[in-house]
Amino acid sequence: KRERERQRQREKERKKKMTKIMFIHGLEGHPNGRKVTMLRDQGFEVHAPDMQMSLYRLNKSNSVTRHLLRLPEFQVICAVLFAGICSIIWASLWPSVAVLLLGVAWLAIRIRSLFAEAMHVSFLACVDIQTLALPRYNPDVLIGSSWGGAVAQELIARGNYTGPTILLAPALQEVLNMTGQGCLSSPASSHEEEAESITRLKQRSGDMPILVFHDRQDDTIPYQHSVELARDSEIELRTVSAGGHSLLDLVKKNNENTSTLGEAIREILAR
């Protein structure tokens, strides 16, 4: 029993010395994704709160599609389409076709805006999840990947997090473009507002180290977005060739049993 107690105590002491990372996963990611697992294998204590996020998977409680299905306007459109189909089957043809065409036209006109609204709701929910997780984990370093990078950027822009941050192909500008939102807490009404989160992020970069990794060959999030993010700010952009958007090569171990990302974590903590 004493030996087991000593082992538990040694394990506690070891964990105290480990660098604590809060990893915000990507759009289709999960808490035990490859980057998280690889960082844990390199000796980091990694916490990755599950955002239950996806574009289309209905089994994810925070998916964009689920939020789309909850929107009242989308439900009305579906009801009109259903009524049109039922009328064609059981009632007269021409009025039914008119109802069906009305539903199709309504959906075609509004689907892009409705999808953007649903994505906005999903994003805000992700930000809320990570905001609640921050004081619970109290990380030494925050890492955000793609969609998770956008969430991390918004946390910084709001002042919810002020510590060392590493962003992997961060997607905030892409989220802003897709949702048409500015601060992401309220609808944008002008070009100036659309840049509000980015502007506040740049302003806060002088008070905290922020490091961005982005691959020029990224075919999901434009590399230029990170170039613009680093411009006129204290944010450091490192251009890499690391497997495209996934940036998995950053996390692969080298001969010294660490990785480019692992070295960057230690470097940013030493600043």
Side-chain angles (χ1 to χ4, degrees):
K1 286 183 178 180
R2 288 182 179 177
E3 182 59 29
R4 284 198 297 269
E5 184 60 34
R6 289 195 197 97
Q7 288 177 351
R8 281 196 292 268
Q9 191 62 34
R10 284 196 293 267
E11 182 65 17
K12 286 181 181 179
E13 292 298 323
R14 186 183 68 83
K15 286 187 175 181
K16 283 181 182 178
K17 296 177 183 178
M18 291 172 68
T19 299
K20 290 191 294 182
I21 295 170
M22 193 166 113
F23 190 97
I24 308 181
H25 62 73
L27 187 65
E28 303 293 340
H30 55 86
N32 295 303
R34 285 182 290 179
K35 293 188 185 79
V36 171
T37 302
M38 292 162 82
L39 285 171
R40 285 172 179 159
D41 288 343
Q42 292 168 40
F44 296 104
E45 181 183 342
V46 186
H47 301 280
D50 190 355
M51 295 187 288
Q52 284 288 303
M53 185 60 202
S54 174
L55 268 181
Y56 304 112
R57 293 167 61 187
L58 291 174
N59 64 326
K60 296 291 185 179
S61 61
N62 198 29
S63 76
V64 176
T65 301
R66 283 185 69 157
H67 285 300
L68 177 66
L69 294 173
R70 295 188 185 114
L71 294 178
E73 184 179 353
F74 187 79
Q75 292 174 353
V76 172
I77 293 173
C78 290
V80 171
L81 290 170
F82 183 73
I85 293 170
C86 290
S87 297
I88 289 175
I89 297 173
W90 289 299
S92 57
L93 180 62
W94 293 113
S96 305
V97 170
V99 172
L100 185 60
L101 289 176
L102 172 65
V104 170
W106 190 357
L107 181 63
I109 292 169
R110 291 289 296 151
I111 187 60
R112 186 183 293 271
S113 296
L114 291 171
F115 194 82
E117 184 179 346
M119 180 171 283
H120 179 216
V121 174
S122 291
F123 188 86
L124 292 179
C126 289
V127 173
D128 288 343
I129 288 169
Q130 301 299 339
T131 298
L132 292 173
L134 278 168
R136 185 163 69 247
Y137 296 126
N138 191 26
D140 299 312
V141 180
L142 181 68
I143 300 178
S145 178
S146 190
W147 174 273
V151 173
Q153 287 173 280
E154 184 66 13
L155 291 172
I156 295 169
R158 294 183 180 194
N160 294 348
Y161 178 75
T162 57
T165 305
I166 297 177
L167 304 173
L168 309 178
L172 182 57
Q173 186 59 60
E174 190 72 8
V175 173
L176 291 171
N177 293 343
M178 294 179 71
T179 62
Q181 303 297 320
C183 179
L184 290 170
S185 58
S186 60
S189 59
S190 69
H191 177 73
E192 287 75 17
E193 281 185 309
E194 287 186 1
E196 186 178 341
S197 283
I198 301 293
T199 300
R200 289 192 297 172
L201 175 63
K202 288 184 175 185
Q203 290 170 346
R204 296 183 190 280
S205 67
D207 302 323
M208 55 189 291
I210 302 176
L211 177 59
V212 177
F213 285 97
H214 211 136
D215 193 318
R216 286 184 185 274
Q217 304 306 314
D218 191 331
D219 57 1
T220 302
I221 303 299
Y223 168 76
Q224 191 62 29
H225 286 182
S226 289
V227 174
E228 293 297 329
L229 179 65
R231 181 172 292 141
D232 300 324
S233 74
E234 298 299 317
I235 297 170
E236 180 185 350
L237 170 61
R238 293 188 184 177
T239 304
V240 294
S241 179
H245 181 65
S246 71
L247 292 173
L248 269 180
D249 290 352
L250 284 181
V251 202
K252 290 180 179 177
K253 288 183 181 180
N254 55 31
N255 294 333
E256 298 178 0
N257 202 36
T258 185
S259 63
T260 301
L261 184 56
E263 291 168 356
I265 291 168
R266 295 181 178 91
E267 176 191 333
I268 203 170
L269 283 172
R271 293 184 181 181

